[in-house]
Amino acid sequence: MSRTSQYAARFNRLFDYIDRHLEDELSVDILSGVVNFSKFHFQRQFSDYCGISVGRYIQLMRLKRASYRLVFNKLDRIIDIALDSGFESPESFSRAFKNTFGQTPSEFRSAPAWVPWMERYQFPAREREQKMDVRIVDFKETRIAALEHRGPVNLLNNSLARFVEWRKAGNHSPVGSSLTIGIVYDDPDTTPPDKFRFDICGSVTAEIPANSQGVINKVIPGGRCAVVRHFGAHDQIAATIYPLYRDWLPQSGEELRDFPLYFHYLNLLPETPECDLITDIYLPLR
């Protein structure tokens, strides 16, 4: 491993530590000790590497986790979300939230403005060492309930909220007994925003009735697939997808089947910290 990669690995360890301890004290002394940096230089090193101060980064990560709870766990009280996110009071939480996103927590809960929200989380790309441990499996034909997202990727969370609403209200696809799947028709990096297509799905055992959320019946066909596991945030999943196409596929001798790439989410936000998310990526093969 090069010295640059070793340096990146130390920061990745730091980011994971912060993600796991957002409700705890995160002082310079503690954080510099996690990666064995001098506390006298730590803040400058962090700012140069991440583009913002460590204090601002921690606040943004706390607000990010709180945002998911506001939208996807609507029964959670805002005061509980504020205190669980490491803020001293609901007032300081609301002030930080409004200053960062331009909406109060209540406004965001009822009508989240995801576009400016996502702009706050544009950090320099992180270098990650991921083993390309690819398995070949036979995926069984699976009946799914699907909500078709069509449009900019940065509005995907609005569609996800509608799917969660359908799942909770109708109990047709309960989380505990249903696979949660995303079907990726397009690469968001090369597709015009208005042409991007993504299906948010849950496996079902029977046809679902018409519903106000627009969830429809579909089927994922059975067949051979290459599977690789992604660990960590969903917005970093491209770092695992691209080597699958670029490196593994040409060397494997395999040919792709005429069905899109899809994800199986083994756990989900906001119950799971981003650093602990696990997603299996399925590449359909002939």
Side-chain angles (χ1 to χ4, degrees):
M1 183 185 293
S2 68
R3 291 186 180 276
T4 300
S5 295
Q6 291 174 353
Y7 194 73
R10 292 167 78 180
F11 269 100
N12 286 331
R13 187 164 72 248
L14 177 65
F15 294 138
D16 286 349
Y17 181 89
I18 291 172
D19 204 24
R20 296 174 192 276
H21 296 86
L22 287 175
E23 69 281 4
D24 300 330
E25 179 187 359
L26 292 171
S27 66
V28 169
D29 283 353
I30 292 172
L31 296 178
S32 60
V34 168
V35 286
N36 197 28
F37 285 159
S38 166
K39 64 182 179 181
F40 299 107
H41 303 283
F42 172 75
Q43 295 197 61
R44 184 180 293 276
Q45 285 177 280
F46 189 98
S47 297
D48 288 345
Y49 189 85
C50 198
I52 59 174
S53 71
V54 63
R56 179 57 171 162
Y57 179 84
I58 292 168
Q59 184 185 68
L60 283 172
M61 293 303 104
R62 286 171 169 164
L63 292 173
K64 188 178 188 181
R65 185 175 294 180
S67 298
Y68 288 132
R69 284 185 65 184
L70 286 168
V71 174
F72 299 119
N73 288 358
K74 291 188 180 294
L75 295 180
D76 288 359
R77 299 189 308 163
I78 292 178
I79 185 173
D80 294 330
I81 294 174
L83 298 178
D84 291 345
S85 300
F87 288 86
E88 294 182 356
S89 67
E91 291 75 23
S92 62
F93 170 67
S94 294
R95 185 165 54 249
F97 201 98
K98 178 70 179 291
N99 289 340
T100 300
F101 305 124
Q103 291 182 293
T104 66
S106 296
E107 291 169 342
F108 188 84
R109 167 167 273 177
S110 61
W114 288 113
V115 174
W117 183 93
M118 286 191 171
E119 291 173 354
R120 299 294 180 269
Y121 295 97
Q122 301 302 308
F123 302 125
R126 299 181 188 176
E127 179 181 338
R128 280 192 177 273
E129 292 287 335
Q130 294 222 49
K131 292 182 179 179
M132 190 53 55
D133 184 14
V134 181
R135 298 175 292 120
I136 305 295
V137 303
D138 285 314
F139 188 87
K140 294 182 179 180
E141 181 179 281
T142 301
R143 182 180 293 178
I144 55 172
L147 190 150
E148 298 178 321
H149 173 84
R150 302 294 183 262
V153 67
N154 54 17
L155 296 179
L156 185 59
N157 279 329
N158 285 338
S159 297
L160 178 58
R162 277 181 25 230
F163 185 77
V164 170
E165 176 187 320
W166 170 83
R167 217 173 199 181
K168 290 182 176 179
N171 201 33
H172 299 294
S173 177
V175 176
S177 60
S178 170
L179 304 181
T180 300
I181 295 171
I183 302 178
V184 193
Y185 295 90
D186 305 295
D187 180 351
D189 292 337
T190 59
T191 304
D194 62 324
K195 302 297 184 183
F196 179 72
R197 298 167 298 164
F198 188 99
D199 287 355
I200 304 164
C201 314
S203 62
V204 293
T205 57
E207 294 285 309
I208 62 166
N211 53 85
S212 60
Q213 291 85 9
V215 178
I216 62 176
N217 294 284
K218 287 192 175 185
V219 173
I220 298 177
R224 296 173 67 245
C225 292
V227 183
V228 64
R229 181 158 289 183
H230 172 77
F231 297 94
H234 296 153
D235 58 14
Q236 301 292 320
I237 203 166
T240 303
I241 294 174
Y242 292 152
L244 185 63
Y245 281 100
R246 184 189 63 229
D247 302 326
W248 178 83
L249 183 61
Q251 297 173 12
S252 69
E254 297 284 353
E255 294 290 336
L256 298 181
R257 185 158 37 97
D258 193 21
F259 192 80
L261 184 83
Y262 53 98
F263 305 148
H264 173 203
Y265 301 102
L266 278 75
N267 50 19
L268 297 167
L269 294 166
E271 292 79 13
T272 305
E274 281 194 306
C275 60
D276 290 331
L277 290 172
I278 303 174
T279 308
D280 281 346
I281 303 167
Y282 284 77
L283 189 63
L285 304 174
R286 290 182 182 172

